[in-house]
Amino acid sequence: MTENLLTVRGLHKVYGKRDSKFEALRGINLKINRGESVAIVGKSGSGKSTLMHLLALLDRPTKGEILLDGTNTSKLKQRQLNKLRNKEFGFVFQQFFMNANDTVLNNVILPLKIAGVSAKERKRRAMHALTIVGLESKAKNKASDLSGGQKQRVCIARAIVNDPAVIFADEPTGNLDSNTGAKIEEILFSLNREKDITLIIVTHDEELAEKCDRQIRITDGRITSDEDIAEERELAEMAQEEKEERHRKHLSGDMDADGLRDDATVSHVKVKEVK
Amino acid sequence: MKALDIIKEANQSLLRNKLRSFLTILAIFIGSFVIIISTGINAGVNDFIDKQMNSVGGEGYLEIMNTNATQQAAAMFSSEVQEYSEEEEEQSTDIYITEEQIEKAKKIDGVKSFDALPSAKAEYLQLVGKDKKIKVAHINLVPRGNLNMDLIAGRKADSDSDNYEIILTQEIAEAFGYKGDSLDDILGKKIYLAIPGTIKCYTVQKHSDCQTKVEAEIVGVQAPGVLAMAGSRVNVALWNKMSEINNEGVPKENTLAVQATADVDPDKIDDIKKEMEDIGLTSMSLEDEIGSIKTFFDAMLTVLKIFGGIALVAASIGIINTLLMSVQERTREIGLDKALGMSNGRVFATFAIEAISLGFWGSLFGIIVSFLIGQAVNFVTHETILSSLPTFQLIIFRAVDLISITLIIMLIALLAGVLPARKASKKDPIDSLRYE
Ligand SMILES: Nc1ncnc2c1ncn2[C@@H]1O[C@H](COP(=O)(O)OP(=O)(O)OP(=O)(O)O)[C@@H](O)[C@H]1O
Ligand SMILES: [Mg+2]
């Protein structure tokens, strides 16, 4: 479970030249393991999106290196980077980037089309991805006809259609009301748990951030805290269990312990709902 | 994504902006239409000339005049004011081909035969044993050598034979009642030529008294055509007989030939023409004659094609404009494609193929419309101004021409697409995604 996916060393990113020069990242060091769910939080303009773009190999750092599976990505050719993004990464953007005039299905198909998958196969896989986000009935609709939440689900379907190792999501719930946002979160976390997809989520939303295994806080281009919530939560759960144990012993009754524990551990996502 | 995907996608994005694409295609269409039509006319004219050339053959056939005569003809059309010179006048009056010139010309290496032709005329034709007389406006010679007539029946009159032979035009044969399947029946029939004696006709009371009827054999029927122009043709023996009757009683020096024909070795034709020039004779081969018609058409059609080319240049600017707008509009889409792993080359290809598609559709419409208009023009001209030349199709569309025009236009469109396609492929995915 602790297989290393991404290692970042001394990452700097400078935008602009001379007078308009701006150092958006000022030395980031970071390790992300496979299967983790990582939230990148911080104030607006702190460099969250910049970091995500670098991690997702959409942009090249000014200084520092990013190792992916131990490979130094600065050594990779553009063609290899393209292939990596196409095969290993899934993207969910804040503004639901998609081709509004195209059908839902064609939007989801896009990464497979780029990969050169045959028409029949890519349709099958896109339909499968749409089923996961519960939108298989909208496949033939025009993307612009969907609601905001549905659009973001289409984006998730597009992000998972290539069976990625990592999903990068920049403010995936930023444009949505809390109910719809919760639904998107459910989908993302169930993918994380069930398919072991690494989640890297940029967000303002503290609640969403807390649901992740780990929160990385960025202030003015530097990491100011990196809490491993999963560990904390495990500790918290253990403490809770002990407390319950004591409580039960105290009552010395035959009450159903399982029911109680289910409520206490707070399952964030009910997998069945997502299906 | 495979090539087919890119092509499909390019055309779908053209469909997204129907009006804009349509206008761009329209501009290309105009250029391609002009070029296709002028190429079609070019092919039509060339095809016709070739057909005529083939039917006429005529390698080694020369038509000869005294150089003075051609100069006089040229002077007639010249508006240049010249001072009078008696010497020049004396020389230049000599438009006949002299005995001396004939003797010299016959000795030129490669000249097989040389027939100086005094004028010859007949007044009417009449089938032996029939009453119907057909007026003869003009009669031609079948020269020696391999000059073919555009025959639709029978054979060419033999100019090396002493028999009197004649080829009728199709119209005259039809006037005698031989048409279609029965055309062949006229072959071998005897026909009278009524030949007038010029001097005699001043002295007789009845005109028919000065006509001599000469019997000839009909050996062929020729199709109407440009080179087989106006009139039936007779062999040399008959021609000389006609001339002899025409000029009965005329002093010898007044019956000299103005024109001559020669059968020469085709390989030496250029040298022979030069040598003829040295003895004061100007000669013209069939190629020379046809060449001048061809040059005229070629010049006219070249001008047309240049116009078409200019229209295409304007259309390419339209393509550049359309695609630049399209690149601008699709900035986010391009960013997304690139973020999801599309290579620069593929982005370039998408726009390049969009440009090529514009060119393709433009020239396809050009072909379709040209074809329809060409058919209509061919039909109309066939019925009207070209009705006398049934083998002449004004506009001919050859697959090679159409395909190469389409390919050239697609290439031009591709060149026009390079700038916008490069611009698209150079876009940074992140900047594009930030673009509102
Ligand atoms: N292309 C660019 N050129 C110049 N400066 C840039 C560019 N992109 C980002 N920046 C600057 O870098 C800083 C970090 O930007 P970034 O988009 O990473 O912020 P963020 O943390 O994602 O903010 P938000 O929460 O508002 O999305 C900002 O100050 C921004 O103005
Ligand atoms: Mg951001």
Side-chain angles (χ1 to χ4, degrees):
Chain A
M1 263 305 273
T2 54
E3 194 188 341
N4 180 252
L5 176 74
L6 275 163
T7 303
V8 175
R9 279 193 225 126
L11 209 59
H12 285 259
K13 179 70 188 178
V14 180
Y15 287 118
K17 280 177 198 142
R18 284 189 213 117
D19 290 349
S20 63
K21 204 162 145 178
F22 180 79
E23 198 169 5
L25 296 180
R26 307 159 188 238
I28 301 276
N29 297 295
L30 185 64
K31 266 192 178 152
I32 294 172
N33 290 333
R34 269 190 197 279
E36 265 189 308
S37 58
V38 181
I40 302 175
V41 294
K43 282 206 296 255
S44 179
S46 55
K48 305 184 295 292
S49 298
T50 305
L51 177 60
M52 193 198 93
H53 291 154
L54 291 178
L55 294 179
L57 309 178
L58 283 167
D59 204 357
R60 301 227 188 217
T62 315
K63 229 170 84 189
E65 52 194 28
I66 300 168
L67 308 180
L68 179 75
D69 280 332
T71 321
N72 190 339
T73 54
S74 66
K75 300 258 160 58
L76 295 179
K77 297 210 176 64
Q78 189 59 45
R79 199 170 45 85
Q80 292 167 303
L81 291 179
N82 287 339
K83 204 170 168 193
L84 256 176
R85 283 206 306 278
N86 183 255
K87 297 245 185 299
E88 302 296 328
F89 296 170
F91 294 95
V92 180
F93 299 100
Q94 181 172 1
Q95 301 95 328
F96 350 104
F97 279 112
M98 51 167 122
N99 300 328
N101 293 314
D102 228 335
T103 62
V104 166
L105 184 67
N106 279 339
N107 268 289
V108 175
I109 275 176
L110 190 57
L112 301 178
K113 212 173 185 181
I114 291 171
V117 176
S118 76
K120 212 174 136 191
E121 171 70 2
R122 68 195 184 204
K123 193 177 169 193
R124 189 188 65 73
R125 282 166 66 178
M127 283 311 293
H128 178 69
L130 278 172
T131 313
I132 291 176
V133 300
L135 280 177
E136 67 275 23
S137 60
K138 300 278 187 193
K140 293 271 183 298
N141 287 48
K142 243 176 107 173
S144 55
D145 295 341
L146 300 182
S147 74
Q150 288 171 328
K151 279 182 190 164
Q152 200 61 303
R153 274 147 73 193
V154 172
C155 289
I156 293 177
R158 185 183 65 204
I160 60 173
V161 76
N162 54 348
D163 273 324
V166 197
I167 290 179
F168 292 94
D170 195 350
E171 312 274 13
T173 58
N175 268 357
L176 305 173
D177 64 68
S178 54
N179 273 343
T180 333
K183 175 121 198 186
I184 298 300
E185 287 166 22
E186 270 175 27
I187 298 173
L188 287 174
F189 285 112
S190 71
L191 286 166
N192 173 240
R193 267 182 284 107
E194 294 185 345
K195 301 203 169 188
D196 208 28
I197 296 177
T198 310
L199 280 185
I200 298 177
I201 303 175
V202 169
T203 183
H204 276 115
D205 184 349
E206 294 291 337
E207 255 181 71
L208 167 59
E210 271 166 26
K211 289 174 192 164
C212 294
D213 297 337
R214 192 169 151 199
Q215 285 181 34
I216 296 173
R217 184 165 304 276
I218 296 194
T219 317
D220 293 335
R222 288 197 183 86
I223 295 183
T224 48
S225 79
D226 184 351
E227 320 167 26
D228 203 325
I229 303 173
E231 241 167 64
E232 254 173 47
R233 200 159 50 208
E234 263 168 46
L235 291 172
E237 273 170 24
M238 272 161 60
Q240 179 77 12
E241 267 174 56
E242 269 173 38
K243 218 168 106 190
E244 279 163 14
E245 198 75 10
R246 262 184 272 126
H247 185 58
R248 220 174 335 187
K249 277 180 183 156
H250 179 70
L251 287 174
S252 69
D254 262 315
M255 252 166 86
D256 183 40
D258 281 1
L260 270 171
R261 189 147 61 233
D262 268 1
D263 281 339
T265 47
V266 187
S267 163
H268 301 290
V269 190
K270 285 191 191 122
V271 181
K272 276 176 208 143
E273 263 180 46
V274 181
K275 201 182 175 191
Chain B
M1 185 154 46
K2 291 154 199 155
L4 202 69
D5 278 330
I6 303 183
I7 293 171
K8 235 165 84 182
E9 211 148 88
N11 282 286
Q12 272 164 4
S13 74
L14 288 182
L15 276 179
R16 242 188 270 168
N17 263 299
K18 289 193 191 66
L19 184 61
R20 198 167 72 194
S21 305
F22 171 75
L23 290 174
T24 314
I25 289 171
L26 186 67
I28 301 164
F29 155 77
I30 291 168
S32 73
F33 172 74
V34 172
I35 290 177
I36 291 168
I37 285 286
S38 32
T39 310
I41 296 176
N42 220 347
V45 170
N46 283 344
D47 173 79
F48 180 66
I49 289 173
D50 284 351
K51 263 190 210 159
Q52 290 291 322
M53 274 299 268
N54 285 341
S55 67
V56 170
E59 279 180 344
Y61 168 73
L62 285 179
E63 266 178 21
I64 296 140
M65 285 174 89
N66 192 313
T67 308
N68 287 334
T70 54
Q71 281 170 356
Q72 260 193 16
M76 268 176 16
F77 294 103
S78 159
S79 56
E80 200 183 322
V81 179
Q82 275 184 321
E83 214 171 309
Y84 177 78
S85 141
E86 199 158 321
E87 273 170 42
E88 234 175 69
E89 185 71 16
E90 234 165 52
Q91 279 179 4
S92 65
T93 44
D94 207 9
I95 63 166
Y96 300 106
I97 299 174
T98 63
E99 290 290 344
E100 196 192 341
Q101 283 174 321
I102 296 172
E103 285 315 308
K104 279 183 182 166
K106 278 184 175 168
K107 286 198 188 104
I108 294 173
D109 181 35
V111 174
K112 293 182 209 158
S113 72
F114 189 99
D115 290 297
L117 302 172
S119 63
K121 67 178 183 188
E123 291 185 331
Y124 65 82
L125 296 170
Q126 183 182 25
L127 285 176
V128 174
K130 295 277 162 53
D131 287 335
K132 192 166 188 180
K133 295 172 180 172
I134 301 291
K135 188 176 153 78
V136 178
H138 188 73
I139 212 152
N140 285 313
L141 176 80
V142 174
R144 289 182 223 270
N146 60 356
L147 187 70
N148 294 319
M149 301 301 120
D150 199 355
L151 293 178
I152 52 173
R155 63 166 172 84
K156 184 180 142 186
D158 182 2
S159 277
D160 294 322
S161 158
D162 292 334
N163 300 326
Y164 298 153
E165 294 183 352
I166 184 167
I167 305 172
L168 298 182
T169 64
Q170 188 180 355
E171 286 97 331
I172 291 176
E174 282 174 0
F176 283 126
Y178 293 86
K179 40 181 98 176
D181 292 340
S182 69
L183 198 61
D184 281 344
D185 297 343
I186 202 169
L187 301 176
K189 290 242 159 26
K190 297 278 187 252
I191 192 166
Y192 288 128
L193 287 85
I195 303 163
T198 316
I199 305 252
K200 205 173 171 190
C201 285
Y202 287 115
T203 58
V204 293
Q205 291 283 315
K206 251 173 81 192
H207 185 71
S208 59
D209 288 348
C210 69
Q211 288 172 333
T212 309
K213 281 184 169 182
V214 174
E215 199 183 286
E217 187 187 344
I218 301 170
V219 296
V221 178
Q222 66 176 330
V226 167
L227 296 170
M229 214 166 19
S232 305
R233 287 178 180 260
V234 299
N235 65 349
V236 171
L238 183 49
W239 182 275
N240 285 336
K241 180 70 184 169
M242 285 162 66
S243 177
E244 186 187 301
I245 296 170
N246 289 157
N247 294 322
E248 212 182 311
V250 179
K252 180 85 172 133
E253 61 270 25
N254 290 348
T255 66
L256 287 174
V258 178
Q259 229 193 341
T261 69
D263 181 29
V264 305
D265 185 344
D267 298 333
K268 295 181 183 152
I269 200 156
D270 288 331
D271 291 337
I272 292 169
K273 279 166 76 176
K274 265 194 214 102
E275 285 186 56
M276 293 246 187
E277 205 65 53
D278 292 342
I279 56 172
L281 297 173
T282 299
S283 49
M284 234 184 158
S285 67
L286 269 180
E287 275 88 355
D288 294 338
E289 263 175 69
I290 287 166
S292 58
I293 304 174
K294 241 179 170 159
T295 314
F296 167 74
F297 269 99
D298 283 350
M300 197 180 84
L301 294 169
T302 305
V303 170
L304 253 183
K305 279 182 205 163
I306 289 173
F307 281 134
I310 292 171
L312 276 184
V313 170
S316 337
I317 296 172
I319 293 177
I320 298 177
N321 198 29
T322 304
L323 289 182
L324 280 179
M325 271 159 45
S326 178
V327 170
Q328 188 75 8
E329 276 169 17
R330 280 151 61 189
T331 298
R332 287 182 60 176
E333 197 180 310
I334 296 165
L336 182 62
D337 286 342
K338 290 184 116 188
L340 297 182
M342 194 182 276
S343 66
N344 290 0
R346 268 271 296 282
V347 175
F348 183 93
T350 310
F351 282 91
I353 287 185
E354 212 171 305
I356 293 174
S357 302
L358 285 169
F360 173 77
W361 292 118
S363 43
L364 187 69
F365 289 133
I367 288 173
I368 293 170
V369 173
S370 306
F371 191 77
L372 294 177
I373 289 183
Q375 292 294 332
V377 166
N378 277 346
F379 179 77
V380 170
T381 53
H382 202 264
E383 298 292 301
T384 56
I385 52 173
L386 296 178
S387 58
S388 58
L389 303 173
T391 51
F392 188 10
Q393 254 199 310
L394 185 60
I395 304 175
I396 290 179
F397 298 107
R398 291 183 308 175
V400 215
D401 289 341
L402 297 182
I403 291 169
S404 43
I405 289 172
T406 306
L407 288 179
I408 289 170
I409 290 177
M410 282 163 75
L411 182 72
I412 292 173
L414 170 65
L415 291 178
V418 166
L419 177 74
R422 269 178 68 98
K423 212 177 157 187
S425 72
K426 288 267 148 67
K427 276 193 186 288
D428 183 10
I430 297 175
D431 290 345
S432 306
L433 286 173
R434 279 182 208 259
Y435 179 88
E436 294 303 319

